Coordinates of all heavy atoms in Angstrom, one line a residue:
M314 N 0.8 -1.2 0.0 CA 0.0 0.0 0.0 C 0.9 1.3 0.0 O 1.9 1.3 0.7 CB -0.9 0.0 1.2 CG -2.0 1.0 1.2 SD -3.2 0.5 2.4 CE -3.6 2.0 3.2
A315 N 0.5 2.3 -0.7 CA 1.3 3.5 -0.9 C 1.3 4.3 0.4 O 0.3 4.2 1.2 CB 0.7 4.4 -2.0
D316 N 2.4 5.0 0.7 CA 2.5 5.8 1.9 C 1.5 7.0 1.8 O 1.3 7.5 0.7 CB 3.9 6.4 2.0 CG 4.9 5.3 2.3 OD1 4.6 4.2 2.6 OD2 6.1 5.7 2.3
V317 N 0.9 7.3 2.9 CA 0.0 8.4 2.9 C 0.8 9.7 3.3 O 1.5 9.7 4.3 CB -1.2 8.2 3.9 CG1 -2.1 9.4 4.0 CG2 -1.9 6.9 3.5
I318 N 0.6 10.7 2.6 CA 1.3 12.0 2.9 C 0.3 12.9 3.6 O -0.8 13.2 3.1 CB 1.8 12.7 1.6 CG1 2.8 11.8 0.9 CG2 2.4 14.1 2.0 CD1 3.2 12.4 -0.4
D319 N 0.6 13.2 4.8 CA -0.3 14.0 5.7 C 0.2 15.5 5.7 O 0.6 16.0 6.7 CB -0.3 13.4 7.1 CG -1.4 14.0 8.0 OD1 -2.3 14.7 7.4 OD2 -1.3 13.9 9.2
T320 N 0.1 16.1 4.6 CA 0.5 17.5 4.5 C -0.6 18.3 3.7 O -1.2 17.8 2.7 CB 1.8 17.7 3.6 OG1 2.8 16.9 4.3 CG2 2.2 19.1 3.5
E321 N -1.0 19.4 4.2 CA -2.0 20.2 3.6 C -1.3 21.2 2.6 O -0.2 21.7 2.9 CB -2.8 21.1 4.6 CG -3.7 20.2 5.5 CD -4.5 21.0 6.5 OE1 -4.9 22.1 6.1 OE2 -4.6 20.5 7.6
L322 N -1.9 21.5 1.5 CA -1.4 22.4 0.5 C -2.4 23.6 0.4 O -3.6 23.4 0.4 CB -1.3 21.7 -0.9 CG -0.3 20.6 -1.0 CD1 -0.3 20.0 -2.4 CD2 1.1 21.1 -0.7
L323 N -1.9 24.7 0.2 CA -2.7 25.9 -0.2 C -2.6 25.9 -1.7 O -1.6 25.8 -2.3 CB -2.1 27.2 0.4 CG -2.0 27.1 1.9 CD1 -1.4 28.4 2.4 CD2 -3.4 27.0 2.6
L324 N -3.8 26.0 -2.4 CA -3.8 25.9 -3.8 C -4.3 27.2 -4.4 O -5.1 28.0 -3.9 CB -4.8 24.8 -4.2 CG -4.5 23.4 -3.7 CD1 -5.6 22.4 -4.1 CD2 -3.1 22.9 -4.2
D325 N -3.8 27.5 -5.7 CA -4.3 28.6 -6.4 C -5.4 28.2 -7.3 O -6.0 27.1 -7.2 CB -3.1 29.3 -7.2 CG -2.6 28.4 -8.3 OD1 -3.2 27.4 -8.6 OD2 -1.6 28.8 -8.9
D326 N -5.8 29.1 -8.2 CA -7.0 28.9 -9.0 C -6.9 27.6 -9.9 O -7.9 27.1 -10.3 CB -7.3 30.1 -9.9 CG -7.8 31.3 -9.0 OD1 -8.3 31.0 -7.9 OD2 -7.7 32.4 -9.5
V327 N -5.7 27.3 -10.2 CA -5.5 26.1 -11.1 C -5.0 24.9 -10.4 O -4.5 23.9 -10.9 CB -4.5 26.4 -12.3 CG1 -5.1 27.4 -13.2 CG2 -3.1 26.8 -11.7
D328 N -5.3 24.9 -9.1 CA -5.0 23.7 -8.2 C -3.5 23.3 -8.2 O -3.3 22.1 -8.2 CB -5.9 22.5 -8.5 CG -7.4 22.9 -8.3 OD1 -7.6 23.7 -7.4 OD2 -8.2 22.3 -9.0
S329 N -2.6 24.2 -8.2 CA -1.2 23.8 -8.1 C -0.7 24.4 -6.7 O -1.2 25.5 -6.3 CB -0.4 24.3 -9.2 OG -0.5 25.7 -9.4
P330 N 0.2 23.8 -6.1 CA 0.6 24.3 -4.8 C 1.3 25.6 -4.8 O 2.1 25.9 -5.7 CB 1.7 23.2 -4.3 CG 1.5 22.1 -5.2 CD 0.8 22.5 -6.5
I331 N 0.9 26.5 -3.9 CA 1.5 27.8 -3.8 C 2.6 27.8 -2.7 O 3.7 28.1 -2.9 CB 0.5 28.9 -3.5 CG1 -0.5 29.0 -4.6 CG2 1.2 30.2 -3.3 CD1 -1.7 29.9 -4.3
I332 N 2.2 27.3 -1.5 CA 3.0 27.3 -0.4 C 2.6 26.2 0.6 O 1.4 26.0 0.7 CB 3.0 28.7 0.3 CG1 4.1 28.8 1.4 CG2 1.6 29.1 0.8 CD1 4.2 30.2 1.9
M333 N 3.5 25.5 1.2 CA 3.2 24.5 2.1 C 2.8 25.1 3.4 O 3.1 26.2 3.8 CB 4.4 23.5 2.3 CG 4.9 22.9 1.0 SD 3.7 21.8 0.2 CE 3.8 20.4 1.3
Q334 N 2.0 24.3 4.2 CA 1.5 24.9 5.5 C 2.6 25.3 6.4 O 2.5 26.3 7.1 CB 0.6 23.8 6.1 CG -0.2 24.4 7.3 CD -1.2 23.4 7.8 OE1 -1.3 22.2 7.4 NE2 -2.1 23.8 8.7
D335 N 3.7 24.5 6.5 CA 4.8 24.8 7.4 C 5.5 26.1 6.9 O 6.0 26.9 7.7 CB 5.8 23.7 7.6 CG 6.4 23.2 6.3 OD1 5.8 23.3 5.2 OD2 7.5 22.6 6.4
E336 N 5.6 26.3 5.6 CA 6.2 27.5 5.1 C 5.3 28.7 5.4 O 5.8 29.8 5.7 CB 6.4 27.4 3.5 CG 7.4 26.4 3.1 CD 7.4 26.1 1.6 OE1 6.3 26.2 1.0 OE2 8.5 25.8 1.1
C337 N 4.0 28.5 5.3 CA 3.1 29.6 5.7 C 3.2 30.0 7.1 O 3.2 31.1 7.5 CB 1.7 29.1 5.4 SG 0.4 30.4 5.6
A338 N 3.4 29.0 8.0 CA 3.6 29.3 9.4 C 4.9 30.1 9.7 O 4.9 30.9 10.5 CB 3.6 28.0 10.2
E339 N 5.9 29.8 8.9 CA 7.2 30.5 9.0 C 7.0 32.0 8.5 O 7.6 32.9 9.0 CB 8.3 29.8 8.3 CG 8.7 28.5 8.9 CD 9.8 27.8 8.0 OE1 10.5 28.5 7.3 OE2 9.9 26.6 8.1
L340 N 6.2 32.1 7.5 CA 6.0 33.4 6.9 C 5.1 34.4 7.7 O 5.2 35.6 7.7 CB 5.4 33.3 5.5 CG 5.2 34.5 4.6 CD1 6.5 35.2 4.4 CD2 4.5 34.1 3.3
K341 N 4.2 33.8 8.5 CA 3.2 34.6 9.2 C 3.8 35.7 10.1 O 3.4 36.8 10.1 CB 2.3 33.6 10.0 CG 1.2 34.4 10.7 CD 0.2 33.4 11.4 CE -0.9 34.2 12.1 NZ -1.8 33.2 12.8
P342 N 4.8 35.3 11.0 CA 5.3 36.4 11.8 C 6.0 37.5 11.0 O 6.0 38.7 11.4 CB 6.3 35.7 12.8 CG 6.4 34.3 12.3 CD 5.4 34.0 11.3
I343 N 6.6 37.2 9.9 CA 7.2 38.2 9.1 C 6.2 39.1 8.5 O 6.3 40.3 8.5 CB 8.0 37.5 7.9 CG1 9.2 36.7 8.5 CG2 8.5 38.6 6.9 CD1 9.9 35.8 7.5
L344 N 5.1 38.6 8.0 CA 4.0 39.4 7.5 C 3.4 40.3 8.6 O 3.1 41.4 8.3 CB 2.9 38.5 6.8 CG 3.3 37.8 5.5 CD1 2.2 36.9 5.1 CD2 3.7 38.8 4.5
Q345 N 3.2 39.7 9.7 CA 2.7 40.5 10.9 C 3.6 41.7 11.2 O 3.1 42.8 11.5 CB 2.5 39.6 12.1 CG 1.3 38.6 11.9 CD 1.2 37.6 13.1 OE1 2.2 37.2 13.7 NE2 0.0 37.2 13.4
D346 N 4.9 41.4 11.1 CA 5.9 42.5 11.4 C 5.8 43.6 10.4 O 5.8 44.8 10.7 CB 7.3 41.9 11.5 CG 8.3 42.9 12.0 OD1 7.9 43.7 12.9 OD2 9.5 42.8 11.6
F347 N 5.6 43.2 9.1 CA 5.5 44.2 8.0 C 4.2 45.0 8.2 O 4.2 46.3 8.1 CB 5.5 43.6 6.6 CG 6.8 43.4 6.1 CD1 7.5 42.2 6.2 CD2 7.5 44.4 5.5 CE1 8.7 42.0 5.7 CE2 8.8 44.2 4.9 CZ 9.4 43.0 5.1
V348 N 3.1 44.4 8.6 CA 1.8 45.1 8.8 C 2.0 46.0 10.0 O 1.5 47.2 10.0 CB 0.7 44.1 9.0 CG1 -0.6 44.8 9.5 CG2 0.4 43.3 7.8
Q349 N 2.6 45.6 11.1 CA 2.8 46.4 12.2 C 3.7 47.6 11.9 O 3.4 48.8 12.3 CB 3.5 45.7 13.4 CG 3.7 46.5 14.6 CD 4.3 45.7 15.8 OE1 4.4 44.5 15.7 NE2 4.6 46.4 16.8
A350 N 4.7 47.4 11.1 CA 5.6 48.5 10.7 C 4.9 49.5 9.8 O 5.0 50.7 10.0 CB 6.8 48.0 9.9
Y351 N 4.0 49.0 8.9 CA 3.2 49.9 8.1 C 2.3 50.7 8.9 O 2.2 51.9 8.7 CB 2.4 49.0 7.1 CG 1.5 49.9 6.3 CD1 2.0 50.6 5.2 CD2 0.1 50.0 6.6 CE1 1.1 51.4 4.4 CE2 -0.7 50.8 5.8 CZ -0.2 51.5 4.7 OH -1.1 52.3 4.0
T352 N 1.6 50.1 9.9 CA 0.7 50.8 10.8 C 1.5 51.9 11.6 O 1.0 53.0 11.7 CB 0.0 49.8 11.8 OG1 -0.7 48.9 11.0 CG2 -1.0 50.5 12.7
E353 N 2.6 51.5 12.2 CA 3.4 52.5 13.0 C 4.0 53.6 12.2 O 4.3 54.7 12.7 CB 4.5 51.7 13.7 CG 4.0 50.7 14.8 CD 5.1 49.9 15.3 OE1 6.2 49.9 14.9 OE2 4.8 49.1 16.3
N354 N 4.2 53.4 10.9 CA 4.8 54.4 10.0 C 3.9 54.9 8.9 O 4.4 55.5 7.9 CB 6.1 53.7 9.4 CG 7.1 53.4 10.4 OD1 7.8 54.3 11.0 ND2 7.3 52.1 10.7
S355 N 2.6 54.8 9.1 CA 1.7 55.2 8.1 C 1.8 56.7 7.7 O 1.4 57.1 6.7 CB 0.3 54.8 8.4 OG -0.1 55.5 9.6
D356 N 2.3 57.5 8.6 CA 2.4 58.9 8.4 C 3.8 59.3 7.8 O 4.0 60.5 7.5 CB 2.2 59.7 9.7 CG 3.3 59.3 10.8 OD1 3.8 58.1 10.7 OD2 3.6 60.1 11.6
K357 N 4.6 58.3 7.5 CA 5.9 58.6 6.9 C 6.0 58.0 5.5 O 5.3 57.1 5.2 CB 7.0 57.9 7.8 CG 7.1 58.3 9.2 CD 8.1 57.5 10.0 CE 8.1 57.9 11.5 NZ 8.8 57.0 12.2
P358 N 6.9 58.6 4.7 CA 7.1 58.0 3.4 C 7.6 56.5 3.5 O 8.4 56.2 4.4 CB 8.2 58.9 2.7 CG 8.2 60.1 3.5 CD 7.7 59.8 4.9
V359 N 7.2 55.7 2.6 CA 7.6 54.3 2.7 C 9.1 54.1 2.6 O 9.7 53.3 3.2 CB 6.8 53.5 1.5 CG1 7.3 52.1 1.4 CG2 5.3 53.6 1.7
S360 N 9.7 55.0 1.8 CA 11.1 54.9 1.6 C 11.9 55.1 2.9 O 13.1 54.7 3.0 CB 11.6 56.0 0.6 OG 11.3 57.3 1.1
E361 N 11.3 55.7 3.9 CA 12.0 55.8 5.2 C 12.1 54.6 6.0 O 13.0 54.4 6.9 CB 11.4 56.9 6.0 CG 11.6 58.3 5.5 CD 11.0 59.4 6.4 OE1 10.6 59.1 7.6 OE2 10.8 60.5 6.0
W362 N 11.2 53.6 5.9 CA 11.1 52.5 6.8 C 11.1 51.1 6.1 O 11.6 50.1 6.6 CB 9.9 52.6 7.7 CG 8.6 52.6 7.0 CD1 7.9 53.6 6.5 CD2 7.8 51.4 6.6 NE1 6.8 53.2 5.9 CE2 6.7 51.9 6.0 CE3 8.0 50.0 6.8 CZ2 5.7 51.0 5.5 CZ3 7.0 49.2 6.3 CH2 5.9 49.7 5.7
L363 N 10.6 51.1 4.9 CA 10.4 49.7 4.2 C 11.8 49.1 3.9 O 11.9 47.9 4.1 CB 9.5 49.8 3.0 CG 9.2 48.5 2.3 CD1 8.5 47.6 3.3 CD2 8.4 48.7 1.1
S364 N 12.7 49.8 3.4 CA 14.0 49.2 3.1 C 14.7 48.6 4.3 O 15.2 47.5 4.2 CB 14.9 50.2 2.5 OG 14.4 50.7 1.2
V365 N 14.6 49.3 5.4 CA 15.2 48.7 6.7 C 14.5 47.4 7.1 O 15.1 46.4 7.4 CB 15.1 49.8 7.8 CG1 15.5 49.2 9.1 CG2 15.9 51.0 7.4
K366 N 13.1 47.4 7.0 CA 12.4 46.3 7.3 C 12.7 45.1 6.4 O 12.8 43.9 6.8 CB 10.9 46.6 7.3 CG 9.9 45.6 7.9 CD 10.2 45.2 9.3 CE 10.1 46.2 10.3 NZ 10.4 45.8 11.7
L367 N 12.8 45.4 5.1 CA 13.1 44.3 4.2 C 14.5 43.7 4.5 O 14.7 42.5 4.4 CB 13.1 44.9 2.7 CG 11.7 45.2 2.2 CD1 11.8 45.9 0.9 CD2 10.9 43.9 2.0
Q368 N 15.5 44.5 4.8 CA 16.8 44.0 5.1 C 16.8 43.2 6.4 O 17.6 42.2 6.5 CB 17.8 45.2 5.3 CG 18.1 45.9 4.0 CD 19.0 47.1 4.2 OE1 19.4 47.4 5.3 NE2 19.2 47.8 3.1
E369 N 15.9 43.4 7.3 CA 15.8 42.6 8.5 C 15.3 41.2 8.1 O 15.7 40.2 8.8 CB 14.7 43.2 9.5 CG 15.2 44.4 10.2 CD 14.1 45.0 11.1 OE1 13.2 44.2 11.5 OE2 14.1 46.2 11.4
H370 N 14.5 41.0 7.1 CA 13.8 39.8 6.9 C 14.2 39.0 5.6 O 14.0 37.8 5.5 CB 12.3 40.0 6.8 CG 11.7 40.3 8.1 ND1 11.6 39.4 9.1 CD2 11.2 41.5 8.6 CE1 11.0 40.0 10.2 NE2 10.8 41.3 9.9
L371 N 14.8 39.8 4.7 CA 15.2 39.1 3.4 C 16.7 39.0 3.3 O 17.5 39.8 3.6 CB 14.7 40.0 2.2 CG 13.2 40.1 2.1 CD1 12.9 41.1 1.0 CD2 12.5 38.8 1.9
P372 N 17.1 37.8 2.7 CA 18.5 37.6 2.4 C 19.0 38.7 1.4 O 18.2 39.2 0.6 CB 18.6 36.2 1.9 CG 17.3 35.6 2.1 CD 16.3 36.7 2.4
E373 N 20.2 39.0 1.4 CA 20.8 40.0 0.5 C 20.4 39.7 -1.0 O 20.1 40.6 -1.8 CB 22.3 40.1 0.6 CG 22.8 41.4 1.1 CD 24.2 41.5 1.2 OE1 24.9 41.7 0.2 OE2 24.7 41.3 2.3
A374 N 20.4 38.4 -1.3 CA 20.1 38.0 -2.7 C 18.7 38.4 -3.1 O 18.4 38.5 -4.3 CB 20.3 36.5 -2.9
L375 N 17.8 38.6 -2.2 CA 16.5 39.0 -2.5 C 16.1 40.5 -2.3 O 15.0 40.9 -2.5 CB 15.5 38.2 -1.6 CG 15.5 36.7 -1.9 CD1 14.6 36.0 -0.9 CD2 15.2 36.3 -3.3
L376 N 17.2 41.3 -2.1 CA 16.9 42.7 -1.9 C 16.3 43.4 -3.1 O 15.6 44.4 -3.0 CB 18.1 43.4 -1.4 CG 18.4 43.3 0.1 CD1 19.7 44.0 0.5 CD2 17.3 43.8 0.9
F377 N 16.6 42.8 -4.3 CA 16.0 43.4 -5.5 C 14.5 43.4 -5.4 O 13.8 44.3 -5.9 CB 16.4 42.7 -6.7 CG 15.8 41.3 -6.9 CD1 14.6 41.2 -7.6 CD2 16.3 40.2 -6.3 CE1 14.0 40.0 -7.8 CE2 15.7 39.0 -6.5 CZ 14.5 38.9 -7.2
L378 N 13.9 42.4 -4.6 CA 12.5 42.3 -4.4 C 12.0 43.5 -3.6 O 10.9 44.0 -3.8 CB 12.2 41.1 -3.7 CG 10.7 40.8 -3.3 CD1 9.9 40.7 -4.6 CD2 10.6 39.6 -2.5
G379 N 12.9 44.0 -2.8 CA 12.5 45.2 -2.0 C 12.1 46.4 -2.8 O 11.2 47.2 -2.5
T380 N 12.9 46.6 -3.9 CA 12.6 47.7 -4.8 C 11.2 47.6 -5.4 O 10.4 48.5 -5.4 CB 13.6 47.8 -5.9 OG1 14.9 47.9 -5.3 CG2 13.4 49.0 -6.8
A381 N 10.9 46.4 -5.8 CA 9.5 46.2 -6.4 C 8.4 46.4 -5.4 O 7.4 47.0 -5.6 CB 9.5 44.7 -7.0
V382 N 8.7 45.9 -4.1 CA 7.7 46.1 -3.1 C 7.5 47.6 -2.8 O 6.4 48.1 -2.6 CB 8.1 45.3 -1.8 CG1 7.2 45.6 -0.6 CG2 8.0 43.8 -2.1
L383 N 8.6 48.3 -2.7 CA 8.6 49.7 -2.4 C 7.8 50.4 -3.4 O 6.9 51.2 -3.1 CB 10.0 50.2 -2.3 CG 10.2 51.7 -2.1 CD1 9.7 52.1 -0.7 CD2 11.7 52.1 -2.2
L384 N 8.0 50.1 -4.7 CA 7.3 50.8 -5.7 C 5.8 50.4 -5.7 O 4.9 51.3 -5.9 CB 7.8 50.4 -7.1 CG 9.2 50.9 -7.4 CD1 9.8 50.3 -8.7 CD2 9.3 52.5 -7.5
L385 N 5.5 49.2 -5.4 CA 4.1 48.8 -5.3 C 3.4 49.5 -4.1 O 2.3 50.0 -4.3 CB 4.0 47.3 -5.1 CG 2.6 46.7 -5.0 CD1 1.8 46.9 -6.2 CD2 2.7 45.2 -4.7
V386 N 4.0 49.5 -3.0 CA 3.4 50.2 -1.8 C 3.2 51.7 -2.1 O 2.2 52.2 -1.8 CB 4.2 50.0 -0.6 CG1 3.7 50.8 0.6 CG2 4.2 48.5 -0.2
Q387 N 4.2 52.3 -2.8 CA 4.0 53.7 -3.1 C 2.8 53.9 -4.0 O 2.1 54.9 -3.9 CB 5.3 54.3 -3.7 CG 6.4 54.4 -2.7 CD 7.7 54.9 -3.3 OE1 8.0 54.6 -4.5 NE2 8.5 55.5 -2.5
K388 N 2.7 53.0 -5.0 CA 1.5 53.2 -5.9 C 0.2 53.0 -5.2 O -0.8 53.7 -5.5 CB 1.7 52.1 -7.1 CG 2.7 52.5 -8.1 CD 2.7 51.6 -9.3 CE 3.7 52.1 -10.3 NZ 3.5 51.5 -11.6
I389 N 0.2 52.0 -4.3 CA -1.0 51.8 -3.5 C -1.4 53.0 -2.7 O -2.5 53.4 -2.6 CB -0.9 50.5 -2.6 CG1 -0.8 49.3 -3.5 CG2 -2.0 50.4 -1.6 CD1 -0.4 48.0 -2.8
R390 N -0.4 53.5 -2.0 CA -0.6 54.7 -1.1 C -1.1 55.9 -1.9 O -1.8 56.7 -1.4 CB 0.6 55.0 -0.3 CG 0.9 53.9 0.7 CD 2.0 54.3 1.6 NE 1.6 55.2 2.6 CZ 2.4 55.7 3.6 NH1 3.6 55.4 3.5 NH2 1.9 56.5 4.5
T391 N -0.5 56.1 -3.1 CA -0.9 57.3 -3.9 C -2.1 57.1 -4.8 O -2.6 58.0 -5.4 CB 0.3 57.8 -4.8 OG1 0.7 56.7 -5.7 CG2 1.5 58.2 -3.9
G392 N -2.5 55.8 -5.0 CA -3.6 55.5 -5.8 C -3.3 55.5 -7.3 O -4.2 55.6 -8.1
C393 N -2.1 55.5 -7.6 CA -1.6 55.5 -9.1 C -1.4 54.1 -9.6 O -0.9 53.3 -9.0 CB -0.4 56.3 -9.2 SG -0.6 58.1 -8.8

């Protein structure tokens, strides 16, 4: 009889795995930290706090992602 895999998957619209449940659990405190930082700094330009927060959580190899996130957040805040 085949082994039973007891792992839940989060699925997208085409039923392919996006992220495993344990990966999601590891990501949750990071996302909470970003939301808290956004709330605490909502009166400041994103450029003043987001880069620092990204450096805390992302490896250097992924810092290019920070630029994309920064631009996205700025567009969201300005409505453009």
